[in-house]
Amino acid sequence: MGLEGAMDTRIGGWAYKGISGGQKRRVSICIELLTRPQLLFLDEPTSGLDSAASYHVMDRITRLARREGMTVVAAIHQPSSEVFQLFHGLCLLAYGRTVFFVAASMANEFFASNGFPCSPLRNPSDHYLRTINKDFDKDIEEDYQSNPRSTAEAIEILVKSYRSSVSSQQVTAQIEEIRGMHVNSPSLDLCVKGGALVKKRNPARFITQSLVLTRRSFVNMYRDLSYYWLRFAIYIALCLCVGTIFHDVGHSYERLNEHYGVTAFTIANTLSATPYLALISVIPGAIAYYLVGLQRSIDHFIYFALVLFMCMMLVEGLMMIVASIVPDFLMGIITGAGIQGVMMLNGGFFRLPNDLPKLVWRYPMYYIAFHKYANQGFYKNEFLAGGPPTINGDEILRETWQVEMGYSKWIDLVILFGMIILYRLMFLGIVTTVEKVKPMIKSLMVKATEKSKHSLNDDEGQLERLGGIQPGSQWVWQREDN
């Protein structure tokens, strides 16, 4: 793909320019080609490339398709005559209607036989698109001064001519034949190859996928400032504020009245995020912990950092669940913040557990909110430290803060860890379900649309059923718009 000059160069993003737009497009094509797919869709693969680069890229794809027996379907943006000649088949659309869907070599004869010949010196693709573009009707009338026609008339002539042609009937028959093969398939995991049904195979083992995704995700998080480094800086600043506000708060009674406060991807994201969240938990947490003057022993601080880490993992898991359900970014933030706000209000900090309304808020929301177990763990870690306290910590926790004292602080930590696993499994289940349900819904919608189109005797549904293309061929959709 002519990318030798960009070897060992970062792709780039919003914070780093990296390679050019044309090189990025070629890289994305290369990534798809690595798996050697039987069917490859390319959406404007030559956009951003000059005419020479466009030809070389498409020439290599053509040779690879021939060698691997691969079918390539591409939407091409303003192809040169050399690029156009590389394609075996041509599909021309005009405002949702099929104008031409046969071998590309027959297009010139088809247009000429209907009164729209292409000049030998003109790019064929330019001529075809100009003939069926209704945005500039006057131009086509000037082209055919001896017999002026509007673009709408030209489209109607070409559509009717194609619909009544032998080629159209052959395409329709071939589509129906292959559709019948799919209908009779006993499994959705089967596809057509050379007229025989073959089972799809995964390109790599599950463990390989997980390891590669973990490494890529880790590198992406390391390089992207918006992932964790910005959060790291914000948490340090926040903990400095908390630590200085409550600096050496002491042990006076006044302190008691202060009420402040798709499986491989999931595994990879969890593993790659763990070191960053741990870093955020330990360093900013230490700043706030020791500035405030909490228990000085290292084991108490380790427990404090562990609870903080569990909470961050839980928040990230919760937002992943929200993101998998709510597709809009802004709505996802609002939804996630709302859910967390409800949990915080019912965590036993802003209002004591016994004062919560029993229905819904105490049972079950109080026990669902992970803030309950985090608060209890923090309380027990601080007040049950041993030694001669001025006020008995066990009594304060039982009577004042209404903390459940039937189990140790380590049980609270275990509960938090279990909720982390539960949140990730929920995210995995939702994504897996969506992946299975979406194709079923789309299939039902396509069937309903096809039934409606058949009742109107319209052949537009041919474009949704491109199963008639044989492996080893290459087809282009020449798009009229833009």
Side-chain angles (χ1 to χ4, degrees), residues 222-474:
Y222 170 76
R223 291 176 176 174
D224 196 335
L225 293 175
S226 64
Y227 254 109
Y228 291 108
W229 299 117
L230 185 59
R231 287 168 62 182
F232 183 52
I234 291 174
Y235 286 139
I236 287 181
L238 179 63
C239 288
L240 280 172
C241 294
V242 173
T244 51
I245 290 173
F246 298 99
H247 176 61
D248 200 16
V249 71
H251 296 83
S252 64
Y253 186 78
E254 182 187 357
R255 177 185 183 187
L256 299 178
N257 293 328
E258 300 295 334
H259 292 249
Y260 297 95
V262 166
T263 308
F265 170 78
T266 305
I267 295 174
N269 182 273
T270 303
L271 293 178
S272 57
T274 297
Y276 294 102
L277 294 178
L279 185 67
I280 293 174
S281 303
V282 173
I283 297 180
I287 295 173
Y289 188 89
Y290 288 108
L291 276 176
V292 171
L294 301 179
Q295 298 291 340
R296 297 290 179 176
S297 60
I298 188 64
D299 58 324
H300 284 82
F301 170 71
I302 290 175
Y303 182 87
F304 174 86
L306 284 173
V307 173
L308 201 58
F309 171 72
M310 297 291 184
C311 290
M312 290 191 175
M313 291 288 288
L314 279 167
V315 171
E316 185 158 290
L318 175 62
M319 295 308 295
M320 289 171 68
I321 293 174
V322 172
S324 65
I325 300 174
V326 183
D328 182 74
F329 174 74
L330 183 59
M331 287 298 295
I333 293 178
I334 297 172
T335 304
I339 294 174
Q340 285 207 67
V342 172
M343 287 187 176
M344 290 172 65
L345 292 174
N346 293 277
F349 181 79
F350 291 99
R351 195 170 188 190
L352 294 175
N354 292 340
D355 297 333
L356 290 171
K358 295 296 187 290
L359 188 62
V360 179
W361 302 118
R362 180 66 188 272
Y363 305 103
M365 287 303 300
Y366 174 63
Y367 294 93
I368 293 176
F370 66 86
H371 303 75
K372 164 190 183 302
Y373 309 99
N375 288 332
Q376 288 190 162
F378 283 144
Y379 291 155
K380 296 173 184 177
N381 188 55
E382 182 62 24
F383 292 106
L384 300 181
T390 306
I391 304 176
N392 185 276
D394 184 88
E395 183 179 347
I396 293 174
L397 295 180
R398 288 182 186 274
E399 304 299 331
T400 305
W401 291 104
Q402 299 174 8
V403 174
E404 297 175 356
M405 301 298 294
Y407 50 87
S408 72
K409 63 181 182 181
W410 298 103
I411 300 298
D412 291 303
L413 190 66
V414 171
I415 294 174
L416 289 173
F417 179 75
M419 294 180 76
I420 292 175
I421 303 298
L422 177 62
Y423 279 22
R424 298 288 168 151
L425 290 176
M426 289 174 63
F427 170 73
L428 176 61
I430 292 171
V431 173
T432 304
T433 303
V434 170
E435 286 182 347
K436 292 182 178 179
V437 171
K438 265 189 176 180
M440 295 171 63
I441 296 176
K442 288 184 177 180
S443 177
L444 292 175
M445 294 176 63
V446 169
K447 289 180 180 179
T449 304
E450 289 176 351
K451 185 177 180 181
S452 175
K453 290 181 178 179
H454 280 303
S455 66
L456 295 174
N457 195 24
D458 195 342
D459 67 341
E460 293 171 16
Q462 292 177 5
L463 300 179
E464 298 174 0
R465 308 187 296 267
L466 290 177
I469 305 174
Q470 292 297 321
S473 64
Q474 192 171 25

Side-chain angles (χ1 to χ4, degrees), residues 108-296:
N108 195 21
E109 179 184 351
F110 175 77
F111 274 76
S113 64
N114 287 284
F116 307 100
C118 177
S119 171
L121 300 179
R122 176 177 289 183
N123 185 339
S125 63
D126 292 342
H127 171 73
Y128 305 148
L129 291 187
R130 188 172 179 179
T131 304
I132 62 176
N133 190 338
K134 289 195 294 189
D135 295 337
F136 306 95
D137 274 352
K138 190 175 181 181
D139 289 349
I140 187 173
E141 291 177 4
E142 292 174 353
D143 284 349
Y144 305 101
Q145 294 180 359
S146 59
N147 187 15
R149 294 168 178 168
S150 67
T151 308
E153 292 175 334
I155 294 174
E156 194 65 29
I157 292 172
L158 293 170
V159 168
K160 288 183 178 180
S161 177
Y162 170 73
R163 185 179 297 173
S164 61
S165 67
V166 176
S167 299
S168 176
Q169 297 172 6
Q170 292 175 345
V171 169
T172 303
Q174 193 174 16
I175 289 174
E176 292 303 325
E177 179 185 352
I178 296 184
R179 277 172 54 84
M181 295 171 66
H182 278 289
V183 170
N184 296 327
S185 174
S187 171
L188 293 177
D189 291 329
L190 299 178
C191 59
V192 175
K193 178 183 178 184
L197 293 176
V198 295
K199 185 173 274 189
K200 286 201 306 186
R201 59 178 178 84
N202 290 325
R205 294 180 301 168
F206 172 79
I207 186 65
T208 304
Q209 297 177 31
S210 300
L211 291 175
V212 171
L213 284 173
T214 299
R215 178 183 176 277
R216 291 179 61 184
S217 181
F218 184 85
V219 171
N220 192 34
M221 293 175 182
Y222 170 76
R223 291 176 176 174
D224 196 335
L225 293 175
S226 64
Y227 254 109
Y228 291 108
W229 299 117
L230 185 59
R231 287 168 62 182
F232 183 52
I234 291 174
Y235 286 139
I236 287 181
L238 179 63
C239 288
L240 280 172
C241 294
V242 173
T244 51
I245 290 173
F246 298 99
H247 176 61
D248 200 16
V249 71
H251 296 83
S252 64
Y253 186 78
E254 182 187 357
R255 177 185 183 187
L256 299 178
N257 293 328
E258 300 295 334
H259 292 249
Y260 297 95
V262 166
T263 308
F265 170 78
T266 305
I267 295 174
N269 182 273
T270 303
L271 293 178
S272 57
T274 297
Y276 294 102
L277 294 178
L279 185 67
I280 293 174
S281 303
V282 173
I283 297 180
I287 295 173
Y289 188 89
Y290 288 108
L291 276 176
V292 171
L294 301 179
Q295 298 291 340
R296 297 290 179 176

